[in-house]
Amino acid sequence: MATISSLSFTSLGQASERRVPVSATQSFCSNFEGFRCRTSSISDSSSLRTTNSSSRMVIQCMSTVTDLPTVSDTKLNFLKVYNRPIPSVYNTVLQELIVQHHLIKYKSTYRYDAVFALGFVTIYDQLMDGYPSDDDRVAIFRAYIQALKEDPETYRKDAEKLEEWARSQNGSSLVEFQSREGEVESILKDISARAGGAGSFSYSRFFAVGLFRILELAKATEPTSLEKLCAGLNINKRNVDRDLDVYRNLLSKLVQAKELLKEYVSREKKKRDERAAESQKANEAVTNA
């Protein structure tokens, strides 16, 4: 794992950025690199090769889809909606997330589903837990999803729907969705069919975290619960296990980074208070002289 000698973030309520020395501290931002999602090219191309036997010339004609937005376009869309400074301890991961989300969204096999939404919402809420402003946290979420040309309300509603359903389940009922009827059961059946080859499905680590959250809320702690759920959904359990390990490691680094942020803010506040007290004493001494 990489290490850093400093942790930078924008001072709360200010547009300027400061750097906080943190010796021998692992960078959770660097560890976030391990959370990058596997992607394939988002450009569809075809080639036609014609060989002239006499001149041995090869003519290649390439056609590329050019109407898809770039990562820069998506980032710009985000900044247009939300242009206030974001502390770097949060912003660094947000920028990584939006890149990954963009690449997933514009894959030819992508299709939105509620488990994917639950996974993203879970990661976002973990990341932004403790953010200085609740209103800003909501605004950033809306700007992020809108930048990807999707509906933030749909993400939230679908995540809440799955969470409510999962809380009413247990390890046994959770994996029996194929034999039951219901709104969430239908969602899971659709995912299973698509992942099994009946339609477009693109596995991602957001999806893996969504599965983790469902199991967590259902209190399905038995090792076989994840195995059976993955089998029912036609998902490779090894991929899920690997991605959940990365997610847990990310959360650990995120907690460390936030603690450093709190310590820094507390230390700076103490220094400001001490300087203000010294200034007041000096002013009183001048007044009384």
Side-chain angles (χ1 to χ4, degrees):
M1 295 297 179
T3 60
I4 59 169
S5 59
S6 65
L7 173 68
S8 63
F9 61 93
T10 305
S11 299
L12 304 181
Q14 298 179 4
S16 60
E17 185 173 86
R18 291 175 165 176
R19 295 191 175 274
V20 188
V22 185
S23 302
T25 301
Q26 289 187 315
S27 168
F28 98 98
C29 299
S30 296
N31 279 292
F32 191 80
E33 296 292 328
F35 199 66
R36 290 186 181 276
C37 300
R38 292 170 298 158
T39 62
S40 60
S41 172
I42 60 175
S43 298
D44 296 321
S45 62
S46 61
S47 63
L48 173 66
R49 177 171 293 182
T50 304
T51 305
N52 185 315
S53 58
S54 59
S55 62
R56 297 183 181 180
M57 294 178 62
V58 178
I59 301 174
Q60 293 183 328
C61 300
M62 305 294 291
S63 63
T64 305
V65 175
T66 58
D67 57 346
L68 293 177
T70 65
V71 171
S72 296
D73 291 334
T74 298
K75 287 187 173 185
L76 183 59
N77 289 339
F78 173 78
L79 292 174
K80 285 178 180 177
V81 180
Y82 189 88
N83 55 15
R84 298 183 61 188
I86 300 173
S88 293
V89 69
Y90 299 97
N91 192 46
T92 300
V93 187
L94 276 174
Q95 293 301 316
E96 289 285 350
L97 276 178
I98 206 166
V99 170
Q100 294 171 32
H101 207 148
H102 172 99
L103 295 174
I104 294 168
K105 165 71 187 291
Y106 293 107
K107 287 178 68 175
S108 60
T109 54
Y110 171 77
R111 181 174 164 184
Y112 169 89
D113 64 63
V115 176
F116 177 93
L118 175 59
F120 172 74
V121 168
T122 299
I123 292 170
Y124 181 86
D125 288 346
Q126 289 278 1
L127 164 65
M128 302 299 283
D129 180 47
Y131 197 77
S133 167
D134 289 342
D135 290 342
D136 285 344
R137 183 167 63 245
V138 172
I140 291 169
F141 179 85
R142 295 187 62 84
Y144 178 107
I145 299 298
Q146 289 173 353
L148 290 155
K149 303 185 185 303
E150 293 189 318
D151 180 21
E153 294 303 322
T154 299
Y155 269 74
R156 281 292 178 191
K157 288 179 180 178
D158 283 349
E160 290 170 2
K161 182 191 307 176
L162 259 63
E163 287 179 335
E164 182 179 357
W165 177 82
R167 289 188 183 97
S168 68
Q169 305 301 311
N170 55 50
S172 298
S173 64
L174 189 65
V175 299
E176 295 171 354
F177 67 87
Q178 290 282 14
S179 61
R180 296 164 53 195
E181 298 298 325
E183 184 178 9
V184 173
E185 285 83 356
S186 295
I187 290 171
L188 298 179
K189 289 176 186 177
D190 176 65
I191 292 171
S192 177
R194 290 188 289 110
S200 295
F201 177 80
S202 181
Y203 169 82
S204 71
R205 287 170 178 168
F206 293 137
F207 186 90
V209 174
L211 291 185
F212 172 80
R213 181 62 175 156
I214 290 173
L215 290 165
E216 181 182 45
L217 291 173
K219 295 181 171 56
T221 57
E222 302 84 359
T224 56
S225 295
L226 177 59
E227 183 178 353
K228 291 178 180 179
L229 184 58
C230 287
L233 291 169
N234 291 311
I235 303 297
N236 188 322
K237 180 178 177 293
R238 272 187 260 181
N239 290 342
V240 175
D241 285 336
R242 179 199 62 214
D243 293 337
L244 290 181
D245 284 341
V246 174
Y247 172 62
R248 294 185 189 101
N249 187 54
L250 170 65
L251 291 183
S252 175
K253 302 306 175 187
L254 181 58
V255 169
Q256 293 178 29
K258 287 182 179 179
E259 287 301 317
L260 293 172
L261 175 61
K262 289 179 182 178
E263 291 174 8
Y264 174 78
V265 171
S266 176
R267 187 164 58 248
E268 289 299 299
K269 182 178 182 300
K270 183 179 179 181
K271 289 180 180 178
R272 287 196 302 270
D273 291 344
E274 290 174 350
R275 287 195 293 267
E278 291 174 358
S279 177
Q280 183 177 358
K281 288 181 180 179
N283 290 336
E284 290 175 352
V286 171
T287 301
N288 295 331

